[in-house]
């Protein structure tokens, strides 16, 4: 009986783990697809872009904490942060888009 219980617990843990992994993969792929609106300023892989004087013009977003990215975009969307380009882009994104894009960029190194 004890072996059956342990087997059931392991099976449930594996099932939950694979389901979470699938959800994360789906968010990653959706975010990657939707991230085209970010590439012009933040680069192909979210590496950021610097002007000729060497100072960052657009910050690196790859590898940032997901919750930080979500809060930042939502702050632009709500006009709590001020940048005309980011505010316009943010207002065109749904909450799901923001979450997926944040999943994508937070997973990059």
């Amino acid at each position: 009986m004890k072996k059956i219980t342990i087997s059931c617990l392991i099976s449930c843990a594996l099932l939950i783990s694979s389901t979470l992994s699938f959800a994360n993969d789906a968010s990653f792929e959706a975010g990657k697809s939707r991230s085209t609106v970010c590439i012009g300023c933040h680069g192909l892989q979210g590496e950021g872009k610097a002007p000729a004087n060497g100072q960052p013009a657009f910050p690196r977003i790859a590898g940032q904490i997901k919750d930080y990215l979500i809060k930042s975009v939502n702050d632009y969307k709500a006009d709590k942060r001020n940048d005309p380009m980011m505010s316009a882009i943010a207002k065109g994104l749904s909450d799901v888009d923001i979450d997926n894009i944040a999943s994508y960029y937070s997973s990059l190194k």
Side-chain angles (χ1 to χ4, degrees):
M1 183 69 170
K2 190 174 182 179
K3 287 181 181 182
I4 292 172
T5 303
I6 292 172
S7 294
C8 286
L9 289 174
I10 291 171
S11 295
C12 287
L14 289 173
L15 179 62
I16 291 169
S17 174
S18 66
T19 302
L20 290 175
S21 177
F22 177 74
N24 289 337
D25 290 347
S27 292
F28 175 89
E29 289 303 322
K32 183 177 181 179
S33 173
R34 194 67 170 100
S35 72
T36 56
V37 299
C38 310
I39 291 172
C41 298
H42 295 285
L44 287 172
Q45 296 294 310
E47 68 274 9
K49 291 188 175 181
N53 66 5
Q55 297 300 313
F58 300 101
R60 176 183 181 83
I61 55 177
Q64 288 286 354
I65 296 169
K66 180 181 175 181
D67 289 340
Y68 170 77
L69 292 172
I70 291 171
K71 181 179 181 342
S72 294
V73 175
N74 281 325
D75 284 352
Y76 284 114
K77 191 173 184 176
D79 294 322
K80 292 180 182 176
R81 291 181 76 171
N82 187 18
D83 181 271
M85 181 71 75
M86 271 302 300
S87 293
I89 290 170
K91 289 175 182 173
L93 298 172
S94 70
D95 290 342
V96 172
D97 289 334
I98 294 168
D99 188 73
N100 289 337
I101 291 170
S103 290
Y104 171 66
Y105 280 114
S106 68
S107 70
L108 299 177
K109 301 294 175 205

